[in-house]
Amino acid sequence: MEVRKLTAGERFEASMISTVAFHMRMEDPEKKREESEQETVEDWGAFSDEGKMMARIINNRFEAQLDGHLIPNGGIGAVSTLPEYRNTGAIREIFNLLLPEAYRNGEVISTLYPFNHAFYRKFGYETVRWQNDYEFAPGVLREYRFSGSAELWKPGDPVREYTELYNRFSGRFNLAIRRDDTRMLKEHIQGEYYKDRKFCYLLRQEGRPVAYLIFQDVRNDPAAILSVQDLAWDGREGFYAILGFLARFTADYGTIRMFLPSSLELLSVIQGPQVYDIHQTARQGYMIRPVNVKKLMEVMKKPEGCRFVIRVKGDRQIEENNGCWEVSGACVIPTDKAPDLTVSIQALGQMAVGSVSLDEAEYRQDVTITGNADTLRKVFIRKPILVEDHF
C-alpha cells in the first residue's frame, strides 16, 4: 500500500470515492472535475499495490480559538473508502502519515465530525459535547418582545456586519473558527430566500447590530418548521432580541428547532409558563485530538503561579507527545519527575479545551490523579465551546 498527498489530477478520482461513500449524487462530472483540479486543500490518498486509489482524507487548515488565542487547527474531512477496499487499514495508514506531518507543520490540534466515535478514538480523538438542540412551539417565547428592526439579507447585500458580530460573539468560545467575509457568505449566508427558503436576518436596536439569525423554512404537515442554522448575539440584549424575534412566528410555524452552546442552558434561563414544553437533546457531533501537546499546554489558560507534572500516554501516531511534562505557567518542558496527573492523548484533548472538568474526567479509566489535586482542579475546568463551521 502506498500513502501520499494527491496531485491535482487525482483529486477528481478522490471526490468520486467520497461520492460513493457518502451516498451523494454528482450531476455534472466535468464541472466537478474542473473544480477538483483547482482545489488547494491538503488531500491524502491510499493506493493499492496495483495503483488503484482506495481511500482519501482531506486535512483542512484554519485557526481556532483556545483561551483567547488563535491556534493552528487541522480539520479532518472526506474520510472515505471504496466498499471493495474497506477493512484493509487504508484509513489507518493515511492517519499514520498525516498526523506526524501535521505536527511538523505546526498544528496544535486536529478536529473532525465523526460518523463513529469509537473508530476515531483509535487515532487519538475524543468527544467534545458543545451543543444542545431545542425544539418547541413559537408560543413558548410569548413573554419576549423584540422592539428593534430586522433586516432581511438579499443576494448582493454586504455581509460585513454579520462577520464582525460573529467574531465578537465567538471570541470567548474555545474551538470557534474565526470567520472572514468569504467564509460567512459562502458557508452560512449565501442563498435566495424566495427559492431556497433560507432567511438571514440582522437584528438592530437603535441602529446597532445586536444579533443575527439564519434559519431554514422546512415544509412539514400540518405546520412548517423553523430550523435555525446559525446565530450570534451581543450580550443579553442580543440574546433577548433573538428570542423576541422568534416569538413573532406563532402564525407561521408549528415548531422551532434551534441550538445553543451547552454553556448556555435554555431551560435554565428561559422565562415563561411553558418551560416544560421545550425538548432538549445533547449532541455529540465533534471530536478533538492534540497534535502538539507541548504547544497546547503552553497556550492553555492557567492560574498564576501554578505548577504541575502531567504524563501523556498512548499517542500511537505522534511519539513526541508521549512522556512527562512539567508545566509552570506558560513554560512546558519534558521532565523525569513523577506525574501528578496521567492521561491518555484522547482525554487530554477533551480536558484541555474545557469540554469536561477534572472532577468529571476523573471518572475516565484513562485519567489518574496522584497528587497536586487542588491545582489541577483550577487548571482543568469547564469552558464555553462553540463549533458552528463545517469542513
PDB file of all heavy atoms in Angstrom, residues 297 300-310 325-335 337-341 369-380:
ATOM      1  N   MET A 297      -0.401  22.796  25.836  1.00  0.00           N
ATOM      2  CA  MET A 297      -0.296  23.102  27.253  1.00  0.00           C
ATOM      3  C   MET A 297       0.260  24.506  27.490  1.00  0.00           C
ATOM      4  O   MET A 297      -0.057  25.146  28.490  1.00  0.00           O
ATOM      5  CB  MET A 297       0.582  22.060  27.943  1.00  0.00           C
ATOM      6  CG  MET A 297       0.016  20.651  27.933  1.00  0.00           C
ATOM      7  SD  MET A 297      -1.548  20.515  28.835  1.00  0.00           S
ATOM      8  CE  MET A 297      -1.012  20.910  30.488  1.00  0.00           C
ATOM      9  N   MET A 300      -2.877  26.950  26.879  1.00  0.00           N
ATOM     10  CA  MET A 300      -3.971  26.811  27.838  1.00  0.00           C
ATOM     11  C   MET A 300      -3.893  27.862  28.940  1.00  0.00           C
ATOM     12  O   MET A 300      -2.826  28.137  29.470  1.00  0.00           O
ATOM     13  CB  MET A 300      -3.922  25.436  28.504  1.00  0.00           C
ATOM     14  CG  MET A 300      -4.709  24.359  27.847  1.00  0.00           C
ATOM     15  SD  MET A 300      -4.651  22.878  28.903  1.00  0.00           S
ATOM     16  CE  MET A 300      -5.466  23.505  30.385  1.00  0.00           C
ATOM     17  N   LYS A 301      -5.017  28.438  29.285  1.00  0.00           N
ATOM     18  CA  LYS A 301      -5.068  29.385  30.393  1.00  0.00           C
ATOM     19  C   LYS A 301      -4.921  28.636  31.706  1.00  0.00           C
ATOM     20  O   LYS A 301      -5.582  27.622  31.941  1.00  0.00           O
ATOM     21  CB  LYS A 301      -6.390  30.151  30.376  1.00  0.00           C
ATOM     22  CG  LYS A 301      -6.479  31.240  31.425  1.00  0.00           C
ATOM     23  CD  LYS A 301      -7.790  32.002  31.297  1.00  0.00           C
ATOM     24  CE  LYS A 301      -7.876  33.104  32.347  1.00  0.00           C
ATOM     25  NZ  LYS A 301      -9.167  33.855  32.241  1.00  0.00           N
ATOM     26  N   LYS A 302      -4.034  29.155  32.575  1.00  0.00           N
ATOM     27  CA  LYS A 302      -3.776  28.501  33.850  1.00  0.00           C
ATOM     28  C   LYS A 302      -3.695  29.553  34.952  1.00  0.00           C
ATOM     29  O   LYS A 302      -3.312  30.700  34.690  1.00  0.00           O
ATOM     30  CB  LYS A 302      -2.465  27.710  33.765  1.00  0.00           C
ATOM     31  CG  LYS A 302      -2.499  26.597  32.717  1.00  0.00           C
ATOM     32  CD  LYS A 302      -1.153  25.946  32.507  1.00  0.00           C
ATOM     33  CE  LYS A 302      -0.219  26.787  31.653  1.00  0.00           C
ATOM     34  NZ  LYS A 302      -0.639  26.894  30.248  1.00  0.00           N
ATOM     35  N   PRO A 303      -4.025  29.177  36.172  1.00  0.00           N
ATOM     36  CA  PRO A 303      -3.922  30.132  37.279  1.00  0.00           C
ATOM     37  C   PRO A 303      -2.481  30.606  37.466  1.00  0.00           C
ATOM     38  O   PRO A 303      -1.524  29.849  37.243  1.00  0.00           O
ATOM     39  CB  PRO A 303      -4.393  29.331  38.494  1.00  0.00           C
ATOM     40  CG  PRO A 303      -5.171  28.194  37.937  1.00  0.00           C
ATOM     41  CD  PRO A 303      -4.554  27.881  36.613  1.00  0.00           C
ATOM     42  N   GLU A 304      -2.317  31.846  37.862  1.00  0.00           N
ATOM     43  CA  GLU A 304      -0.982  32.392  38.065  1.00  0.00           C
ATOM     44  C   GLU A 304      -0.242  31.598  39.137  1.00  0.00           C
ATOM     45  O   GLU A 304      -0.785  31.286  40.192  1.00  0.00           O
ATOM     46  CB  GLU A 304      -1.083  33.868  38.478  1.00  0.00           C
ATOM     47  CG  GLU A 304       0.252  34.572  38.574  1.00  0.00           C
ATOM     48  CD  GLU A 304       0.116  36.049  38.861  1.00  0.00           C
ATOM     49  OE1 GLU A 304      -1.038  36.552  38.835  1.00  0.00           O
ATOM     50  OE2 GLU A 304       1.144  36.700  39.115  1.00  0.00           O
ATOM     51  N   GLY A 305       1.001  31.266  38.845  1.00  0.00           N
ATOM     52  CA  GLY A 305       1.851  30.568  39.797  1.00  0.00           C
ATOM     53  C   GLY A 305       1.632  29.076  39.888  1.00  0.00           C
ATOM     54  O   GLY A 305       2.271  28.410  40.715  1.00  0.00           O
ATOM     55  N   CYS A 306       0.769  28.520  39.040  1.00  0.00           N
ATOM     56  CA  CYS A 306       0.503  27.081  39.134  1.00  0.00           C
ATOM     57  C   CYS A 306       1.683  26.282  38.577  1.00  0.00           C
ATOM     58  O   CYS A 306       2.394  26.725  37.684  1.00  0.00           O
ATOM     59  CB  CYS A 306      -0.785  26.714  38.406  1.00  0.00           C
ATOM     60  SG  CYS A 306      -0.601  26.552  36.620  1.00  0.00           S
ATOM     61  N   ARG A 307       1.860  25.100  39.131  1.00  0.00           N
ATOM     62  CA  ARG A 307       2.922  24.198  38.686  1.00  0.00           C
ATOM     63  C   ARG A 307       2.443  22.761  38.880  1.00  0.00           C
ATOM     64  O   ARG A 307       1.915  22.412  39.937  1.00  0.00           O
ATOM     65  CB  ARG A 307       4.207  24.438  39.484  1.00  0.00           C
ATOM     66  CG  ARG A 307       5.417  23.605  39.017  1.00  0.00           C
ATOM     67  CD  ARG A 307       6.584  23.806  39.980  1.00  0.00           C
ATOM     68  NE  ARG A 307       7.006  25.200  40.003  1.00  0.00           N
ATOM     69  CZ  ARG A 307       7.951  25.714  39.200  1.00  0.00           C
ATOM     70  NH1 ARG A 307       8.542  24.926  38.320  1.00  0.00           N
ATOM     71  NH2 ARG A 307       8.293  26.973  39.299  1.00  0.00           N
ATOM     72  N   PHE A 308       2.620  21.934  37.853  1.00  0.00           N
ATOM     73  CA  PHE A 308       2.243  20.539  37.979  1.00  0.00           C
ATOM     74  C   PHE A 308       2.977  19.728  36.923  1.00  0.00           C
ATOM     75  O   PHE A 308       3.555  20.279  35.975  1.00  0.00           O
ATOM     76  CB  PHE A 308       0.720  20.349  37.832  1.00  0.00           C
ATOM     77  CG  PHE A 308       0.157  20.789  36.509  1.00  0.00           C
ATOM     78  CD1 PHE A 308       0.005  19.884  35.455  1.00  0.00           C
ATOM     79  CD2 PHE A 308      -0.238  22.100  36.305  1.00  0.00           C
ATOM     80  CE1 PHE A 308      -0.513  20.278  34.236  1.00  0.00           C
ATOM     81  CE2 PHE A 308      -0.768  22.506  35.089  1.00  0.00           C
ATOM     82  CZ  PHE A 308      -0.903  21.597  34.051  1.00  0.00           C
ATOM     83  N   VAL A 309       2.951  18.405  37.088  1.00  0.00           N
ATOM     84  CA  VAL A 309       3.562  17.484  36.122  1.00  0.00           C
ATOM     85  C   VAL A 309       2.474  16.584  35.574  1.00  0.00           C
ATOM     86  O   VAL A 309       1.708  15.983  36.333  1.00  0.00           O
ATOM     87  CB  VAL A 309       4.680  16.644  36.777  1.00  0.00           C
ATOM     88  CG1 VAL A 309       5.230  15.628  35.769  1.00  0.00           C
ATOM     89  CG2 VAL A 309       5.804  17.547  37.286  1.00  0.00           C
ATOM     90  N   ILE A 310       2.410  16.493  34.256  1.00  0.00           N
ATOM     91  CA  ILE A 310       1.407  15.673  33.591  1.00  0.00           C
ATOM     92  C   ILE A 310       2.096  14.654  32.692  1.00  0.00           C
ATOM     93  O   ILE A 310       3.044  14.988  31.982  1.00  0.00           O
ATOM     94  CB  ILE A 310       0.428  16.545  32.773  1.00  0.00           C
ATOM     95  CG1 ILE A 310      -0.652  15.683  32.122  1.00  0.00           C
ATOM     96  CG2 ILE A 310       1.143  17.398  31.744  1.00  0.00           C
ATOM     97  CD1 ILE A 310      -1.775  16.504  31.486  1.00  0.00           C
ATOM     98  N   TRP A 325       5.546  15.916  31.292  1.00  0.00           N
ATOM     99  CA  TRP A 325       5.750  17.333  31.020  1.00  0.00           C
ATOM    100  C   TRP A 325       5.562  18.120  32.313  1.00  0.00           C
ATOM    101  O   TRP A 325       4.565  17.954  33.018  1.00  0.00           O
ATOM    102  CB  TRP A 325       4.744  17.826  29.982  1.00  0.00           C
ATOM    103  CG  TRP A 325       4.803  17.082  28.689  1.00  0.00           C
ATOM    104  CD1 TRP A 325       4.108  15.966  28.334  1.00  0.00           C
ATOM    105  CD2 TRP A 325       5.631  17.392  27.562  1.00  0.00           C
ATOM    106  NE1 TRP A 325       4.421  15.566  27.072  1.00  0.00           N
ATOM    107  CE2 TRP A 325       5.362  16.433  26.557  1.00  0.00           C
ATOM    108  CE3 TRP A 325       6.552  18.409  27.289  1.00  0.00           C
ATOM    109  CZ2 TRP A 325       5.988  16.437  25.323  1.00  0.00           C
ATOM    110  CZ3 TRP A 325       7.178  18.428  26.058  1.00  0.00           C
ATOM    111  CH2 TRP A 325       6.908  17.457  25.091  1.00  0.00           C
ATOM    112  N   GLU A 326       6.543  18.971  32.612  1.00  0.00           N
ATOM    113  CA  GLU A 326       6.412  19.865  33.755  1.00  0.00           C
ATOM    114  C   GLU A 326       5.854  21.199  33.267  1.00  0.00           C
ATOM    115  O   GLU A 326       6.404  21.819  32.355  1.00  0.00           O
ATOM    116  CB  GLU A 326       7.758  20.092  34.437  1.00  0.00           C
ATOM    117  CG  GLU A 326       7.635  20.973  35.687  1.00  0.00           C
ATOM    118  CD  GLU A 326       8.942  21.084  36.459  1.00  0.00           C
ATOM    119  OE1 GLU A 326       9.974  20.611  35.953  1.00  0.00           O
ATOM    120  OE2 GLU A 326       8.908  21.647  37.570  1.00  0.00           O
ATOM    121  N   VAL A 327       4.747  21.598  33.867  1.00  0.00           N
ATOM    122  CA  VAL A 327       4.050  22.809  33.445  1.00  0.00           C
ATOM    123  C   VAL A 327       4.172  23.852  34.542  1.00  0.00           C
ATOM    124  O   VAL A 327       3.773  23.612  35.690  1.00  0.00           O
ATOM    125  CB  VAL A 327       2.564  22.520  33.151  1.00  0.00           C
ATOM    126  CG1 VAL A 327       1.861  23.788  32.681  1.00  0.00           C
ATOM    127  CG2 VAL A 327       2.432  21.405  32.121  1.00  0.00           C
ATOM    128  N   SER A 328       4.721  25.000  34.185  1.00  0.00           N
ATOM    129  CA  SER A 328       4.835  26.122  35.115  1.00  0.00           C
ATOM    130  C   SER A 328       4.412  27.375  34.361  1.00  0.00           C
ATOM    131  O   SER A 328       5.196  27.954  33.609  1.00  0.00           O
ATOM    132  CB  SER A 328       6.269  26.264  35.626  1.00  0.00           C
ATOM    133  OG  SER A 328       6.382  27.371  36.502  1.00  0.00           O
ATOM    134  N   GLY A 329       3.155  27.771  34.533  1.00  0.00           N
ATOM    135  CA  GLY A 329       2.630  28.879  33.748  1.00  0.00           C
ATOM    136  C   GLY A 329       2.643  28.519  32.275  1.00  0.00           C
ATOM    137  O   GLY A 329       2.161  27.466  31.860  1.00  0.00           O
ATOM    138  N   ALA A 330       3.258  29.397  31.463  1.00  0.00           N
ATOM    139  CA  ALA A 330       3.328  29.156  30.023  1.00  0.00           C
ATOM    140  C   ALA A 330       4.549  28.326  29.636  1.00  0.00           C
ATOM    141  O   ALA A 330       4.737  28.029  28.454  1.00  0.00           O
ATOM    142  CB  ALA A 330       3.346  30.483  29.273  1.00  0.00           C
ATOM    143  N   CYS A 331       5.349  27.930  30.606  1.00  0.00           N
ATOM    144  CA  CYS A 331       6.549  27.121  30.339  1.00  0.00           C
ATOM    145  C   CYS A 331       6.215  25.640  30.481  1.00  0.00           C
ATOM    146  O   CYS A 331       5.719  25.197  31.518  1.00  0.00           O
ATOM    147  CB  CYS A 331       7.658  27.515  31.302  1.00  0.00           C
ATOM    148  SG  CYS A 331       9.178  26.576  31.071  1.00  0.00           S
ATOM    149  N   VAL A 332       6.472  24.883  29.422  1.00  0.00           N
ATOM    150  CA  VAL A 332       6.196  23.441  29.418  1.00  0.00           C
ATOM    151  C   VAL A 332       7.442  22.728  28.925  1.00  0.00           C
ATOM    152  O   VAL A 332       7.886  22.944  27.793  1.00  0.00           O
ATOM    153  CB  VAL A 332       4.991  23.112  28.512  1.00  0.00           C
ATOM    154  CG1 VAL A 332       4.719  21.610  28.503  1.00  0.00           C
ATOM    155  CG2 VAL A 332       3.751  23.875  28.964  1.00  0.00           C
ATOM    156  N   ILE A 333       8.045  21.884  29.773  1.00  0.00           N
ATOM    157  CA  ILE A 333       9.287  21.200  29.400  1.00  0.00           C
ATOM    158  C   ILE A 333       9.188  19.719  29.748  1.00  0.00           C
ATOM    159  O   ILE A 333       8.489  19.328  30.679  1.00  0.00           O
ATOM    160  CB  ILE A 333      10.506  21.824  30.113  1.00  0.00           C
ATOM    161  CG1 ILE A 333      10.334  21.753  31.636  1.00  0.00           C
ATOM    162  CG2 ILE A 333      10.723  23.261  29.657  1.00  0.00           C
ATOM    163  CD1 ILE A 333      11.563  22.204  32.422  1.00  0.00           C
ATOM    164  N   PRO A 334       9.911  18.860  29.005  1.00  0.00           N
ATOM    165  CA  PRO A 334       9.962  17.435  29.367  1.00  0.00           C
ATOM    166  C   PRO A 334      10.630  17.267  30.727  1.00  0.00           C
ATOM    167  O   PRO A 334      11.497  18.073  31.117  1.00  0.00           O
ATOM    168  CB  PRO A 334      10.808  16.818  28.256  1.00  0.00           C
ATOM    169  CG  PRO A 334      10.811  17.810  27.148  1.00  0.00           C
ATOM    170  CD  PRO A 334      10.682  19.151  27.780  1.00  0.00           C
ATOM    171  N   THR A 335      10.229  16.251  31.460  1.00  0.00           N
ATOM    172  CA  THR A 335      10.788  16.044  32.792  1.00  0.00           C
ATOM    173  C   THR A 335      10.804  14.565  33.140  1.00  0.00           C
ATOM    174  O   THR A 335      10.054  13.763  32.569  1.00  0.00           O
ATOM    175  CB  THR A 335       9.966  16.817  33.842  1.00  0.00           C
ATOM    176  OG1 THR A 335      10.574  16.668  35.129  1.00  0.00           O
ATOM    177  CG2 THR A 335       8.536  16.292  33.911  1.00  0.00           C
ATOM    178  N   LYS A 337      10.376  13.895  36.419  1.00  0.00           N
ATOM    179  CA  LYS A 337       9.668  13.919  37.697  1.00  0.00           C
ATOM    180  C   LYS A 337       8.415  13.048  37.648  1.00  0.00           C
ATOM    181  O   LYS A 337       7.834  12.823  36.580  1.00  0.00           O
ATOM    182  CB  LYS A 337       9.284  15.357  38.051  1.00  0.00           C
ATOM    183  CG  LYS A 337      10.477  16.271  38.307  1.00  0.00           C
ATOM    184  CD  LYS A 337      10.012  17.680  38.669  1.00  0.00           C
ATOM    185  CE  LYS A 337      11.209  18.604  38.923  1.00  0.00           C
ATOM    186  NZ  LYS A 337      10.773  19.991  39.245  1.00  0.00           N
ATOM    187  N   ALA A 338       8.007  12.600  38.823  1.00  0.00           N
ATOM    188  CA  ALA A 338       6.795  11.787  38.920  1.00  0.00           C
ATOM    189  C   ALA A 338       5.578  12.640  38.576  1.00  0.00           C
ATOM    190  O   ALA A 338       5.493  13.801  38.982  1.00  0.00           O
ATOM    191  CB  ALA A 338       6.655  11.215  40.324  1.00  0.00           C
ATOM    192  N   PRO A 339       4.630  12.099  37.846  1.00  0.00           N
ATOM    193  CA  PRO A 339       3.468  12.890  37.414  1.00  0.00           C
ATOM    194  C   PRO A 339       2.440  13.091  38.522  1.00  0.00           C
ATOM    195  O   PRO A 339       2.233  12.219  39.367  1.00  0.00           O
ATOM    196  CB  PRO A 339       2.890  12.053  36.281  1.00  0.00           C
ATOM    197  CG  PRO A 339       3.261  10.650  36.615  1.00  0.00           C
ATOM    198  CD  PRO A 339       4.621  10.739  37.270  1.00  0.00           C
ATOM    199  N   ASP A 340       1.806  14.242  38.507  1.00  0.00           N
ATOM    200  CA  ASP A 340       0.636  14.491  39.341  1.00  0.00           C
ATOM    201  C   ASP A 340      -0.629  13.965  38.663  1.00  0.00           C
ATOM    202  O   ASP A 340      -1.614  13.641  39.325  1.00  0.00           O
ATOM    203  CB  ASP A 340       0.462  15.995  39.579  1.00  0.00           C
ATOM    204  CG  ASP A 340       1.658  16.623  40.267  1.00  0.00           C
ATOM    205  OD1 ASP A 340       2.070  16.101  41.318  1.00  0.00           O
ATOM    206  OD2 ASP A 340       2.175  17.638  39.752  1.00  0.00           O
ATOM    207  N   LEU A 341      -0.567  13.921  37.331  1.00  0.00           N
ATOM    208  CA  LEU A 341      -1.728  13.537  36.542  1.00  0.00           C
ATOM    209  C   LEU A 341      -1.259  12.716  35.357  1.00  0.00           C
ATOM    210  O   LEU A 341      -0.328  13.109  34.659  1.00  0.00           O
ATOM    211  CB  LEU A 341      -2.465  14.792  36.051  1.00  0.00           C
ATOM    212  CG  LEU A 341      -3.653  14.615  35.107  1.00  0.00           C
ATOM    213  CD1 LEU A 341      -4.813  13.921  35.819  1.00  0.00           C
ATOM    214  CD2 LEU A 341      -4.100  15.967  34.548  1.00  0.00           C
ATOM    215  N   ILE A 369      -5.178  10.670  38.931  1.00  0.00           N
ATOM    216  CA  ILE A 369      -4.619  11.770  39.723  1.00  0.00           C
ATOM    217  C   ILE A 369      -3.817  11.173  40.868  1.00  0.00           C
ATOM    218  O   ILE A 369      -4.318  10.365  41.645  1.00  0.00           O
ATOM    219  CB  ILE A 369      -5.736  12.665  40.286  1.00  0.00           C
ATOM    220  CG1 ILE A 369      -6.615  13.203  39.163  1.00  0.00           C
ATOM    221  CG2 ILE A 369      -5.149  13.823  41.096  1.00  0.00           C
ATOM    222  CD1 ILE A 369      -7.879  13.879  39.648  1.00  0.00           C
ATOM    223  N   THR A 370      -2.554  11.576  40.976  1.00  0.00           N
ATOM    224  CA  THR A 370      -1.695  11.044  42.035  1.00  0.00           C
ATOM    225  C   THR A 370      -1.175  12.126  42.973  1.00  0.00           C
ATOM    226  O   THR A 370      -0.459  11.825  43.934  1.00  0.00           O
ATOM    227  CB  THR A 370      -0.497  10.298  41.421  1.00  0.00           C
ATOM    228  OG1 THR A 370       0.128  11.114  40.432  1.00  0.00           O
ATOM    229  CG2 THR A 370      -0.949   8.994  40.774  1.00  0.00           C
ATOM    230  N   GLY A 371      -1.511  13.391  42.717  1.00  0.00           N
ATOM    231  CA  GLY A 371      -1.049  14.469  43.588  1.00  0.00           C
ATOM    232  C   GLY A 371      -1.441  15.825  43.041  1.00  0.00           C
ATOM    233  O   GLY A 371      -1.909  15.950  41.904  1.00  0.00           O
ATOM    234  N   ASN A 372      -1.260  16.861  43.875  1.00  0.00           N
ATOM    235  CA  ASN A 372      -1.468  18.244  43.444  1.00  0.00           C
ATOM    236  C   ASN A 372      -2.890  18.473  42.931  1.00  0.00           C
ATOM    237  O   ASN A 372      -3.115  19.265  42.003  1.00  0.00           O
ATOM    238  CB  ASN A 372      -0.455  18.601  42.347  1.00  0.00           C
ATOM    239  CG  ASN A 372      -0.105  20.072  42.327  1.00  0.00           C
ATOM    240  OD1 ASN A 372      -0.569  20.842  43.164  1.00  0.00           O
ATOM    241  ND2 ASN A 372       0.680  20.477  41.362  1.00  0.00           N
ATOM    242  N   ALA A 373      -3.854  17.809  43.542  1.00  0.00           N
ATOM    243  CA  ALA A 373      -5.218  17.827  43.024  1.00  0.00           C
ATOM    244  C   ALA A 373      -5.844  19.214  43.054  1.00  0.00           C
ATOM    245  O   ALA A 373      -6.600  19.580  42.148  1.00  0.00           O
ATOM    246  CB  ALA A 373      -6.088  16.846  43.820  1.00  0.00           C
ATOM    247  N   ASP A 374      -5.555  20.005  44.091  1.00  0.00           N
ATOM    248  CA  ASP A 374      -6.161  21.337  44.181  1.00  0.00           C
ATOM    249  C   ASP A 374      -5.757  22.211  42.995  1.00  0.00           C
ATOM    250  O   ASP A 374      -6.586  22.926  42.419  1.00  0.00           O
ATOM    251  CB  ASP A 374      -5.757  22.010  45.492  1.00  0.00           C
ATOM    252  CG  ASP A 374      -6.421  21.372  46.702  1.00  0.00           C
ATOM    253  OD1 ASP A 374      -7.421  20.646  46.510  1.00  0.00           O
ATOM    254  OD2 ASP A 374      -5.938  21.586  47.822  1.00  0.00           O
ATOM    255  N   THR A 375      -4.475  22.150  42.628  1.00  0.00           N
ATOM    256  CA  THR A 375      -4.007  22.928  41.478  1.00  0.00           C
ATOM    257  C   THR A 375      -4.637  22.415  40.195  1.00  0.00           C
ATOM    258  O   THR A 375      -5.112  23.194  39.360  1.00  0.00           O
ATOM    259  CB  THR A 375      -2.478  22.854  41.359  1.00  0.00           C
ATOM    260  OG1 THR A 375      -1.890  23.512  42.489  1.00  0.00           O
ATOM    261  CG2 THR A 375      -1.990  23.522  40.080  1.00  0.00           C
ATOM    262  N   LEU A 376      -4.674  21.108  40.023  1.00  0.00           N
ATOM    263  CA  LEU A 376      -5.222  20.528  38.798  1.00  0.00           C
ATOM    264  C   LEU A 376      -6.692  20.878  38.615  1.00  0.00           C
ATOM    265  O   LEU A 376      -7.155  21.086  37.489  1.00  0.00           O
ATOM    266  CB  LEU A 376      -5.042  19.010  38.827  1.00  0.00           C
ATOM    267  CG  LEU A 376      -3.592  18.508  38.780  1.00  0.00           C
ATOM    268  CD1 LEU A 376      -3.537  17.010  39.032  1.00  0.00           C
ATOM    269  CD2 LEU A 376      -2.951  18.848  37.448  1.00  0.00           C
ATOM    270  N   ARG A 377      -7.429  20.979  39.722  1.00  0.00           N
ATOM    271  CA  ARG A 377      -8.844  21.329  39.612  1.00  0.00           C
ATOM    272  C   ARG A 377      -9.043  22.776  39.163  1.00  0.00           C
ATOM    273  O   ARG A 377     -10.079  23.122  38.609  1.00  0.00           O
ATOM    274  CB  ARG A 377      -9.548  21.094  40.943  1.00  0.00           C
ATOM    275  CG  ARG A 377      -9.810  19.628  41.227  1.00  0.00           C
ATOM    276  CD  ARG A 377     -10.747  19.414  42.396  1.00  0.00           C
ATOM    277  NE  ARG A 377     -11.080  17.995  42.491  1.00  0.00           N
ATOM    278  CZ  ARG A 377     -10.373  17.100  43.163  1.00  0.00           C
ATOM    279  NH1 ARG A 377      -9.288  17.493  43.827  1.00  0.00           N
ATOM    280  NH2 ARG A 377     -10.726  15.832  43.179  1.00  0.00           N
ATOM    281  N   LYS A 378      -8.061  23.615  39.410  1.00  0.00           N
ATOM    282  CA  LYS A 378      -8.132  25.002  38.948  1.00  0.00           C
ATOM    283  C   LYS A 378      -7.711  25.127  37.485  1.00  0.00           C
ATOM    284  O   LYS A 378      -8.079  26.085  36.813  1.00  0.00           O
ATOM    285  CB  LYS A 378      -7.246  25.882  39.815  1.00  0.00           C
ATOM    286  CG  LYS A 378      -7.684  25.966  41.270  1.00  0.00           C
ATOM    287  CD  LYS A 378      -6.685  26.737  42.100  1.00  0.00           C
ATOM    288  CE  LYS A 378      -7.079  26.752  43.578  1.00  0.00           C
ATOM    289  NZ  LYS A 378      -6.048  27.443  44.409  1.00  0.00           N
ATOM    290  N   VAL A 379      -6.931  24.169  37.001  1.00  0.00           N
ATOM    291  CA  VAL A 379      -6.457  24.195  35.612  1.00  0.00           C
ATOM    292  C   VAL A 379      -7.495  23.607  34.674  1.00  0.00           C
ATOM    293  O   VAL A 379      -7.848  24.207  33.647  1.00  0.00           O
ATOM    294  CB  VAL A 379      -5.126  23.430  35.478  1.00  0.00           C
ATOM    295  CG1 VAL A 379      -4.714  23.307  34.007  1.00  0.00           C
ATOM    296  CG2 VAL A 379      -4.035  24.123  36.284  1.00  0.00           C
ATOM    297  N   PHE A 380      -7.978  22.433  35.006  1.00  0.00           N
ATOM    298  CA  PHE A 380      -8.885  21.705  34.118  1.00  0.00           C
ATOM    299  C   PHE A 380     -10.325  21.941  34.555  1.00  0.00           C
ATOM    300  O   PHE A 380     -10.862  21.222  35.403  1.00  0.00           O
ATOM    301  CB  PHE A 380      -8.529  20.225  34.093  1.00  0.00           C
ATOM    302  CG  PHE A 380      -7.164  19.959  33.524  1.00  0.00           C
ATOM    303  CD1 PHE A 380      -6.097  19.661  34.367  1.00  0.00           C
ATOM    304  CD2 PHE A 380      -6.939  20.059  32.162  1.00  0.00           C
ATOM    305  CE1 PHE A 380      -4.830  19.430  33.842  1.00  0.00           C
ATOM    306  CE2 PHE A 380      -5.676  19.841  31.636  1.00  0.00           C
ATOM    307  CZ  PHE A 380      -4.618  19.527  32.478  1.00  0.00           C
TER     308      PHE A 380
END
